[in-house]
Amino acid sequence: MAKKNFKELFDPKESKWGGISFPMFLAALVVVAIVVYVPFGLDKEGNPGSFLRPNFLIMFSALAVFGLLFGEIGDRIPIWNDFIGGGTILVFFMAAVFGTYGLVPENFMKAVNIFYGKQPVNFLEMFIPALIVGSVLTVDRKTLIKSISGYIPLIVIGVIGASAGGILVGLIFGKSPMDIMMNYVLPIMGGGTGAGAVPMSEIWSAKTGRPAGEWFGFAISILSIANVFAIICGALLKKVGEAKPSLTGNGELIIDNSKEAIRDKEVDVKPELTDTTAAFILTGVLFMVAHILGEVWESLGIGFDLHRLVFLILLTMFLNIANLVPDRLKAGAKRMQTFFSKHTIWILMAAVGFTTDVKEIIAAAAPSNILIALAIVLGAVGLIMLVARKMKFYPVEAAITAGLCMANRGGAGDVAVLGAADRMDLMSFAQISSRIGGAMMLVLGSLMFSAFLK
């Protein structure tokens, strides 16, 4: 495959801007700029209006144009593309800068928030379920069963490595091991923001009687720093896999040398559009069932939450293990997954970036905090890579899923890390880390706050 270059981007005979030529892309860019920036009329509150209609199609296309602009450029910057993550990471960081420093209007930011993570659109709840169902259904049944027993212990090993790394560097800066565990390791390895830092701050508040914001403010800052390191490490692990092929399964997590292992069934069965449509409908129905189970679980008041995505993973695993899904439908699910993971990733990265506050990262950017956060991330990655092969996992994929996807900001962090590592097919394992691993950290946090806080 020929290496990408800047010259081809501006050749009118080429179609390197997401499949369209430079003149067509330039025209689309002008239209998006007019829709986003040009004031027109008044809105319902009497404020200056615009041409922006914040529906799914308009936001999808606007974010796509933004993503293509910086994504295609990022994929052609030599050092950035080779070591930082290419277009995927440049889209994320540029969107974060635009959002944080008000380089786009407020009405556009509100529309992005709805498109990305709020009802009635919430593109993230379309993207992640499509990846989960597509990836879990096409894993060989025997391989999937083997992974269940080994993956949770791998997460625990990652937490041990993260704790050791953080405590070791923390001692250099005069911080106690318990301070490192409660204020650094717990928020970083806790499953993200919404499912991790937020409920953990409430647990902290309940134990101390002080406002949750006291703990959360620092937690979200240190988590943001670790999230950046996790994304960069994802890109670096991709390069490690390319340099040392023996360390990677090229997107496969589990080492399985048995002849029975069959992967990517779409190679044998070519799906029709009806198969892909059926898979998308199946994904929606499974997500409905998962949501019902999540709501029922919460109503029982058991003491810890199981996110609906956890139930979605379990449901899809059951369908695969019980062999209840025809091969054609599995092939359609894989095609659906490929569409989202390969062709909409820059759209989602743009949306994630616009909702990321760069100032949160800057606020906690003291040298000691940066080094401690880095040590936690590297500690998780290092220990996992040391033991992964003995546990029948490929070291690179194990470090990405059980390590980096524990040390990021949950669902959005999973997308960013897997995008940087070019391992979007591992979304199901990333979600196990963020959800089940995050639930384990909530339990640990509750025990530690109860034992060591007054």
Side-chain angles (χ1 to χ4, degrees):
M1 184 176 178
K3 189 175 180 65
K4 293 181 177 181
N5 60 76
F6 280 101
K7 183 179 179 181
E8 65 185 358
L9 279 182
F10 304 103
D11 185 343
K13 297 179 181 179
E14 298 283 355
S15 298
K16 299 296 183 179
W17 296 91
I20 61 177
S21 66
F22 176 64
M24 290 181 66
F25 175 75
L26 196 61
L29 185 62
V30 170
V31 172
V32 170
I34 291 172
V35 167
V36 173
Y37 288 105
V38 175
F40 184 80
L42 299 174
D43 61 18
K44 295 179 180 179
E45 287 76 30
N47 300 315
S50 71
F51 292 106
L52 180 67
R53 296 186 68 227
N55 58 33
F56 180 87
L57 178 61
I58 299 301
M59 294 307 300
F60 185 92
S61 301
L63 291 170
V65 170
F66 184 95
L68 287 171
L69 174 61
F70 292 106
E72 295 294 354
I73 291 173
D75 273 354
R76 290 166 171 81
I77 300 175
I79 295 177
W80 182 275
N81 184 44
D82 291 337
F83 300 103
I84 305 300
T88 302
I89 303 305
L90 187 62
V91 171
F92 171 78
F93 280 121
M94 290 306 299
V97 170
F98 269 67
T100 301
Y101 296 103
L103 301 181
V104 288
E106 184 63 27
N107 65 333
F108 181 78
M109 287 295 296
K110 290 179 180 178
V112 170
N113 278 319
I114 295 173
F115 175 87
Y116 158 64
K118 294 183 179 180
Q119 300 299 337
V121 180
N122 202 340
F123 184 63
L124 196 63
E125 286 200 344
M126 184 186 303
F127 185 93
I128 291 179
L131 264 61
I132 288 175
V133 173
S135 59
V136 173
L137 281 183
T138 51
V139 173
D140 174 70
R141 292 167 60 210
K142 293 181 180 179
T143 304
L144 183 60
I145 293 171
K146 290 178 183 178
S147 74
I148 295 173
S149 60
Y151 190 70
I152 300 301
L154 193 67
I155 291 176
V156 174
I157 288 170
V159 173
I160 293 172
S163 303
I167 289 172
L168 181 63
V169 175
L171 290 173
I172 297 174
F173 292 101
K175 296 182 181 294
S176 70
M178 199 50 58
D179 179 18
I180 295 297
M181 288 299 300
M182 289 193 290
N183 296 312
Y184 292 83
V185 175
L186 285 179
I188 289 175
M189 304 296 287
T193 305
V198 171
M200 202 170 288
S201 68
E202 296 299 326
I203 296 173
W204 182 90
S205 178
K207 301 301 180 184
T208 62
R210 288 145 60 186
E214 289 186 20
W215 186 87
F216 182 79
F218 181 78
I220 193 63
S221 298
I222 203 69
L223 173 57
S224 297
I225 293 173
N227 188 61
V228 172
F229 284 134
I231 296 169
I232 294 173
C233 280
L236 292 176
L237 283 173
K238 175 187 175 183
K239 302 302 293 184
V240 169
E242 293 172 355
K244 298 286 186 180
S246 62
L247 296 178
T248 179
N250 296 309
E252 294 286 348
L253 172 64
I254 303 137
I255 299 173
D256 191 343
N257 297 320
S258 65
K259 294 181 180 180
E260 294 84 2
I262 300 174
R263 300 181 179 87
D264 295 334
K265 286 186 169 59
E266 79 279 5
V267 172
D268 299 319
V269 180
K270 293 185 178 180
E272 303 290 339
L273 283 175
T274 52
D275 301 318
T276 307
T277 303
F280 194 72
I281 294 171
L282 174 64
T283 299
V285 172
L286 288 174
F287 198 38
M288 292 180 205
V289 177
H291 177 69
I292 292 170
L293 294 174
E295 292 291 308
V296 171
W297 179 275
E298 184 177 357
S299 70
L300 297 176
I302 293 177
F304 64 95
D305 291 335
L306 281 181
H307 195 275
R308 54 184 168 269
L309 290 177
V310 173
F311 285 108
L312 180 62
I313 293 169
L314 295 176
L315 284 169
T316 312
M317 282 182 172
F318 170 76
L319 290 179
N320 190 348
I321 292 170
N323 202 24
L324 296 176
V325 179
D327 284 353
R328 293 199 66 87
L329 190 51
K330 288 183 178 181
K334 185 64 178 180
R335 188 180 185 185
M336 170 190 69
Q337 175 203 359
T338 300
F339 168 74
F340 280 98
S341 65
K342 300 296 184 183
H343 302 292
T344 70
I345 180 63
W346 287 347
I347 296 171
L348 187 60
M349 291 300 288
V352 173
F354 278 117
T355 57
T356 299
D357 191 348
V358 174
K359 294 178 182 177
E360 289 181 353
I361 302 174
I362 297 174
S368 59
N369 291 339
I370 292 173
L371 291 175
I372 292 171
L374 178 60
I376 289 171
V377 174
L378 293 181
V381 167
L383 189 56
I384 287 173
M385 292 191 76
L386 284 175
V387 304
R389 190 169 289 279
K390 294 180 180 179
M391 299 177 68
K392 303 298 183 183
F393 296 109
Y394 286 104
V396 167
E397 281 73 16
I400 291 169
T401 53
L404 300 182
C405 290
M406 280 287 286
N408 60 28
R409 295 187 69 165
D414 292 343
V415 171
V417 167
L418 296 182
D422 194 19
R423 297 293 193 279
M424 294 302 295
D425 289 353
L426 296 174
M427 179 58 77
S428 56
F429 292 105
Q431 286 296 299
I432 292 174
S433 295
S434 292
R435 305 306 176 182
I436 296 178
M440 292 163 54
M441 295 304 291
L442 286 179
V443 174
L444 177 62
S446 180
L447 294 174
M448 293 187 69
F449 293 156
S450 298
F452 298 103
L453 292 178
K454 297 181 180 179

